[in-house]
Amino acid sequence: MSIAVVEVNRKSILHNVEFFKQKSPNCTLMAVVKANAYGHGMEGVAQLLDGKVDCFGVARVSEAIVLRQVGIRGPIVLLEGFFPHDDINDLLDFNLQPVIHSSWQIDVLNTIPFANEITVWFKIDTGMHRLGFHFDEAINEFNRLASCKAVRQPINIISHFSSADELGSSQTNTQIARFNEFARSVNGCQQSIAASGGLLAWPDSHLDMIRVGIALYGVSPFSDAVADLQPAMTLKSELIAVRKHEKGQSVGYGQTWTSESDTVLGVVAMGYGDGYPRDIPENTPVSINGRLVPIVGRVSMDMIVVNLGQHCQDKPGDEVIFWGKELPVEQIAKHTGMSAYELLTRLTSRAKIRYKD
């Protein structure tokens, strides 16, 4: 039985899906389940949402193949397309929809002899400057892609925001305008530019398809939690020891923390071997028996020490929550300077996923 547990509430995920459907009733919805569904378990989340969303988004062909192997039959979009050493036949064999962002990918598609086999998304670089075709080459490359016999017509169009989480930035409106300008100039099909930040803050970006990533799991893409979302994950473990600790004594590797008074310390079965950050700042809070207590000393591979206070009543076996409904991961992100994205996706397989309703 695992002590470090990633508890995932299925009802919360379903609530968030319904929230976005109501927020964008005229859009189709992509559930992004890459990176093990942001730590929530890719297979379990996809099986939960199969038939409830319009398609799934992943980063790698290998992720898509796993979804097919667990019974997902609906559309799967490869958000990074296919890579130079991928087997191009996997696109056909597993009915995958790649995002086309580079001319070399079009060259590869031109080698496929079968006609009208692959649904594709053409990525236009509207300002992220990471993947996608530049404006000065985009129309020519779009037409070249459209001439591939293997590609189904019409072609979908996609882009990605660089600053949707910065509500005061003009960059997002600039990107929307660039995207719309390009979309008017070609014969495209579905259009998509809004991920979680765009969905929540930029209604003009919703277009045909919305892509719900971190917000699907009830976590805000901004610095503060969003009231209408329900966080699905509770990362928790338990106390395995409760120890008296004298003033002036240190604890843990490097003796980085020394107690200023007599107190009681708790040892928790959790560490960087479970994916909790090793360099987490001291005094990062955890929740025990309804109150917040600070982490002290260094996080080790398997254990974390917390300061329970001199008059605590806590005992071995008591639950310790590192983030969840009562302690939002956004709060931990703000305290540590790490993003919620990183905190969720760095969890390891030793922290076992358990689903609840």
Side-chain angles (χ1 to χ4, degrees), residues 30 55-59 75-79 96-99 121 158 209:
M30 176 193 295
C55 69
F56 292 97
V58 298
I76 299 177
V77 178
L78 300 172
L79 293 170
L96 307 179
Q97 300 183 9
V99 167
W121 295 76
I158 194 169
M209 176 179 282

Side-chain angles (χ1 to χ4, degrees), residues 236-299:
K236 62 184 183 179
S237 187
E238 62 184 46
L239 289 171
I240 60 172
V242 174
R243 301 165 51 85
K244 292 181 180 179
H245 193 80
E246 296 180 359
K247 177 182 178 180
Q249 290 182 332
S250 60
V251 68
Y253 290 118
Q255 299 182 317
T256 59
W257 177 85
T258 301
S259 180
E260 296 179 353
S261 61
D262 292 345
T263 189
V264 174
L265 301 183
V267 181
V268 189
M270 175 73 75
Y272 61 80
D274 305 288
Y276 197 81
R278 181 181 183 276
D279 52 353
I280 207 87
E282 282 184 7
N283 297 316
T284 298
V286 302
S287 177
I288 300 177
N289 294 320
R291 75 189 195 284
L292 298 182
V293 299
I295 292 174
V296 295
R298 286 183 183 168
V299 172

Side-chain angles (χ1 to χ4, degrees), residues 21-40:
K21 285 183 176 181
Q22 293 173 18
K23 191 173 184 66
S24 303
N26 299 319
C27 298
T28 56
L29 189 151
M30 176 193 295
V32 181
V33 294
K34 64 180 180 176
N36 200 28
Y38 293 68
H40 294 71

Side-chain angles (χ1 to χ4, degrees), residues 169-341:
S169 172
S170 62
Q171 170 72 356
T172 299
N173 282 326
T174 299
Q175 287 191 254
I176 294 172
R178 288 174 179 167
F179 185 91
N180 290 336
E181 178 185 351
F182 175 77
R184 286 191 298 266
S185 66
V186 296
N187 180 28
C189 188
Q190 286 197 93
Q191 302 174 18
S192 178
I193 193 172
S196 293
L199 297 177
L200 291 165
W202 306 91
D204 289 345
S205 71
H206 292 193
L207 305 178
D208 299 316
M209 176 179 282
I210 54 176
R211 311 192 304 268
V212 193
I214 198 167
L216 176 66
Y217 310 100
V219 179
S220 171
F222 313 116
S223 59
D224 295 313
V226 176
D228 293 311
L229 299 178
Q230 292 183 6
M233 180 190 291
T234 301
L235 177 64
K236 62 184 183 179
S237 187
E238 62 184 46
L239 289 171
I240 60 172
V242 174
R243 301 165 51 85
K244 292 181 180 179
H245 193 80
E246 296 180 359
K247 177 182 178 180
Q249 290 182 332
S250 60
V251 68
Y253 290 118
Q255 299 182 317
T256 59
W257 177 85
T258 301
S259 180
E260 296 179 353
S261 61
D262 292 345
T263 189
V264 174
L265 301 183
V267 181
V268 189
M270 175 73 75
Y272 61 80
D274 305 288
Y276 197 81
R278 181 181 183 276
D279 52 353
I280 207 87
E282 282 184 7
N283 297 316
T284 298
V286 302
S287 177
I288 300 177
N289 294 320
R291 75 189 195 284
L292 298 182
V293 299
I295 292 174
V296 295
R298 286 183 183 168
V299 172
S300 60
M301 185 181 293
D302 312 302
M303 289 176 281
I304 289 173
V305 179
V306 295
N307 188 355
L308 299 172
Q310 188 172 12
H311 303 294
C312 73
Q313 301 297 313
D314 309 296
K315 61 187 183 299
D318 285 355
E319 186 175 80
V320 180
I321 295 175
F322 289 85
W323 59 70
K325 185 176 181 180
E326 57 274 273
L327 181 57
V329 69
E330 294 94 336
Q331 182 176 334
I332 304 302
K334 190 179 296 185
H335 181 89
T336 62
M338 302 177 183
S339 75
Y341 294 84

